[in-house]
């Protein structure tokens, strides 16, 4: 049996500028697109460079969200919409549960990891101590959707010091990340041998969400605290700007090494594959497992922030955007990608990488997949 090749601990960096500034049939574009597809297949994640992205917009966004989540709980509760499965507005801490705590296939993934590479223990199935805000960045479908709860109107916070800054900051940063991730959907399609617009067109009316999460590090700043338990994302691609506090770990190809994510300063973003991309590729690209925890580096940054910015809230904000396919889109594996997935699975097995029981990807609406996942994480009855 062949010895498995070591996977680099550094995520590949994909340059969106190459794609945007050269003819789509040029050798440079072809090579960069293939690199993007390979990165998602191998790691379920990559670092994306986009010179249009401004770090100051991310800083403005992080300042706003720190101020928002520093409000009293009674103010935040006004923005809750549990009747819409918390798919808009705020979700308070200890609401969402990590699916992997009780999901058998997920537990099997953890079991196959070397003990030193496993995530922090989530077997107690405690809810995550994180808060979240969902802000829709989507075009209203020109048809009547079967999933109105996933396509609801935005909630705008009402506190004066928040409200006046809210729309400009959310729209500016959300638009930057949406443009970047849509460029990557085109690059990924080209790299997989598909027409450039394949995924982008199917996501035109997707319920995309600017989705910052917030963790109160005054309460939850102790080392080895789980802020977001081991899980995958239910959307198509997730894109992140830099957080002020480290703590995000990802796993390469679900059964590999735990990688502490580092996003370079400047116009760089982290992208992760989600369940919708896994489904449409028949498992060729797998939704990437990840966790957010308080690690040694988090503790170091907490100490520095307290010294340098004593008047700022000590809240970890993730600068996150969830890009979705249309809720009403018929989701089924693309046949040639499903065949390639089978070939890769066999190759992985021959290299000594057991990926567990083979998954099936039955045809369904995208919205049905989302609703199933929401039930698993205690956000939908």
């Amino acid at each position: 049996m062949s010895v498995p090749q070591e996977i680099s601990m550094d995520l590949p960096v994909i340059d969106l500028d190459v794609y945007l500034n050269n003819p789509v049939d040029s050798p440079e574009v072809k090579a960069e697109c293939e690199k993007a597809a390979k990165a998602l297949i191998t790691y379920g994640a990559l670092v994306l460079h986009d010179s249009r992205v401004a770090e100051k917009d991310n800083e403005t966004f992080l300042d706003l969200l720190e101020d928002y989540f520093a409000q009293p709980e009674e103010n935040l509760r006004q923005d809750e919409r549990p009747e819409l499965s918390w798919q808009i507005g705020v979700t308070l801490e200890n609401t969402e549960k990590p699916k992997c705590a009780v999901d058998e296939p997920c537990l099997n993934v953890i079991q196959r990891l070397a003990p030193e590479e496993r995530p922090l223990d989530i077997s107690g199935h405690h809810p995550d101590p994180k808060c979240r805000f969902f802000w829709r960045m989507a075009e209203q479908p020109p048809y009547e959707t079967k999933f109105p709860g996933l396509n609801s109107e935005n909630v705008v916070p009402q506190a004066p010091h928040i409200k006046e800054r809210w729309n400009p900051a959310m729209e500016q940063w959300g638009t930057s990340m949406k443009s970047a991730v849509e460029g990557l959907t085109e690059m990924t399609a080209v790299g997989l041998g598909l027409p450039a617009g394949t995924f982008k067109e199917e996501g035109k009316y997707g319920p995309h969400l600017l989705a910052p999460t917030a963790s109160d590090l005054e309460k939850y700043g102790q080392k080895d605290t789980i802020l977001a338990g081991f899980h995958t994302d239910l959307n198509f691609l997730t894109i992140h700007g830099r957080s002020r506090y480290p703590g995000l770990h990802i796993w390469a190809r679900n059964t590999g090494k735990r990688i502490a994510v580092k996003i370079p300063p400047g116009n760089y973003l982290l992208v992760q594959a989600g369940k919708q991309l896994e489904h449409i590729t028949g498992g060729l690209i797998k939704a990437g497992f990840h966790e957010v925890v308080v690690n040694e580096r988090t503790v170091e940054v907490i100490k520095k922030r307290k010294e340098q910015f004593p008047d700022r809230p000590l809240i970890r904000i993730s600068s996150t955007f969830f890009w979705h396919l249309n809720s009403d889109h018929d989701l089924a594996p693309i046949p040639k990608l499903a065949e390639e997935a089978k070939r890769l699975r066999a190759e992985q097995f021959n290299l000594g990488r057991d990926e567990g029981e083979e998954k099936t990807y039955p045809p369904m609406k995208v919205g049905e997949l989302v609703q199933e996942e929401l039930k698993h994480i205690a956000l939908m009855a």
Side-chain angles (χ1 to χ4, degrees):
M1 185 176 285
S2 306
V3 178
Q5 293 176 328
E6 277 299 309
I7 293 175
S8 167
M9 296 296 275
D10 292 319
L11 292 176
V13 178
I14 305 303
D15 194 347
L16 183 58
D17 291 1
V18 171
Y19 180 76
L20 295 176
N21 299 328
N22 293 286
V24 74
D25 56 355
S26 67
E28 297 91 340
V29 165
K30 186 169 183 289
E32 201 68 13
C33 290
E34 288 174 356
K35 183 181 172 187
K38 186 179 178 185
L40 290 172
I41 291 167
T42 304
Y43 293 88
L46 53 81
V47 173
L48 185 68
H49 174 257
D50 180 355
S51 62
R52 301 171 302 174
V53 173
E55 181 75 13
K56 66 176 175 56
D57 293 337
N58 188 33
E59 293 293 324
T60 300
F61 171 80
L62 294 175
D63 284 342
L64 172 64
L65 269 297
E66 285 178 359
D67 291 342
Y68 173 77
F69 282 105
Q71 294 182 102
E73 186 176 312
E74 57 266 28
N75 287 33
L76 298 177
R77 286 214 176 272
Q78 294 172 19
D79 301 332
E80 274 191 305
R81 298 294 183 272
E83 70 280 9
L84 297 173
S85 303
W86 287 276
Q87 289 307 286
I88 211 73
V90 78
T91 305
L92 295 185
E93 62 186 49
N94 299 316
T95 301
E96 183 178 329
K97 293 183 178 181
K99 173 185 172 182
C100 286
V102 293
D103 181 63
E104 203 62 43
C106 208
L107 292 171
N108 290 340
V109 168
I110 296 173
Q111 195 61 39
R112 290 197 306 276
L113 292 168
E116 67 276 11
E117 302 293 347
R118 289 177 187 166
L120 290 185
D121 186 14
I122 52 171
S123 57
H125 202 217
H126 302 297
D128 288 333
K130 67 172 189 283
C131 301
R132 172 175 272 156
F133 199 100
F134 277 162
W135 178 257
R136 280 187 73 231
M137 297 283 307
E139 288 183 58
Q140 198 60 32
Y143 47 82
E144 189 172 340
T145 175
K146 293 178 181 171
F147 304 95
L150 303 179
N151 295 269
S152 306
E153 287 302 310
N154 273 324
V155 175
V156 179
Q158 292 303 299
H161 73 294
I162 302 292
K163 185 178 180 181
E164 63 191 22
R165 299 151 60 200
W166 188 264
N167 279 44
M170 298 293 276
E171 291 295 321
Q172 180 66 37
W173 184 238
T175 299
S176 290
M177 290 211 288
K178 185 180 180 187
S179 297
V181 76
E182 286 187 340
L184 183 64
T185 66
E186 295 188 358
M187 291 185 76
T188 303
V190 171
L192 293 171
L194 304 170
T198 302
F199 302 135
K200 187 176 175 181
E201 287 161 13
E202 292 172 1
K204 183 175 182 185
Y205 300 110
H208 315 303
L209 293 165
L210 182 55
T213 58
S215 303
D216 184 344
L217 297 175
E218 295 280 9
K219 290 166 69 176
Y220 303 112
Q222 295 76 33
K223 186 175 177 295
D224 292 339
T225 300
I226 299 172
L227 303 177
F230 189 71
H231 69 288
T232 57
D233 291 339
L234 56 78
N235 50 298
F236 188 86
L237 284 172
T238 302
I239 188 163
H240 307 265
R242 273 162 59 85
S243 172
R244 287 173 172 158
Y245 301 88
L248 175 62
H249 296 150
I250 70 166
W251 278 260
R253 190 64 191 189
N254 300 5
T255 54
K257 305 281 188 181
R258 181 177 56 217
I259 299 172
V261 171
K262 297 172 188 171
I263 306 176
N267 359 59
Y268 290 89
L269 301 156
L270 172 73
V271 181
Q272 293 171 279
K275 286 282 190 186
Q276 293 169 24
L277 180 53
E278 177 174 332
H279 201 108
I280 206 168
T281 62
L284 176 60
I285 295 171
K286 295 214 172 182
F289 282 96
H290 52 285
E291 68 177 359
V292 181
V293 301
V294 177
N295 59 25
E296 286 179 11
R297 288 181 57 238
T298 322
V299 173
E300 289 169 12
V301 175
I302 290 171
K303 186 171 179 289
K304 282 182 189 168
R305 292 281 302 179
K306 279 181 174 177
E307 292 168 358
Q308 295 172 356
F309 304 98
D311 299 327
R312 290 298 301 158
L314 201 68
I315 298 173
R316 183 191 191 278
I317 303 293
S318 76
S319 181
T320 302
F321 187 101
F322 294 135
W323 195 87
H324 284 258
L325 298 178
N326 306 348
S327 303
D328 298 271
H329 178 69
D330 291 312
L331 188 61
I334 295 169
K336 76 170 188 174
L337 300 184
E339 283 302 310
E340 180 62 15
K342 287 186 189 304
R343 188 200 65 74
L344 179 62
R345 179 182 167 80
E347 181 183 282
Q348 291 283 93
F349 184 80
N350 290 335
L351 288 170
R353 297 193 191 111
D354 176 13
E355 296 196 331
E357 192 175 331
E358 189 167 3
K359 285 183 67 175
T360 57
Y361 300 95
M364 62 174 67
K365 295 283 186 189
V366 171
E368 291 171 341
L369 181 150
V370 171
Q371 289 178 339
E372 280 302 309
E373 292 291 317
L374 291 177
K375 289 173 187 172
H376 281 298
I377 58 177
L379 293 185
M380 179 177 271

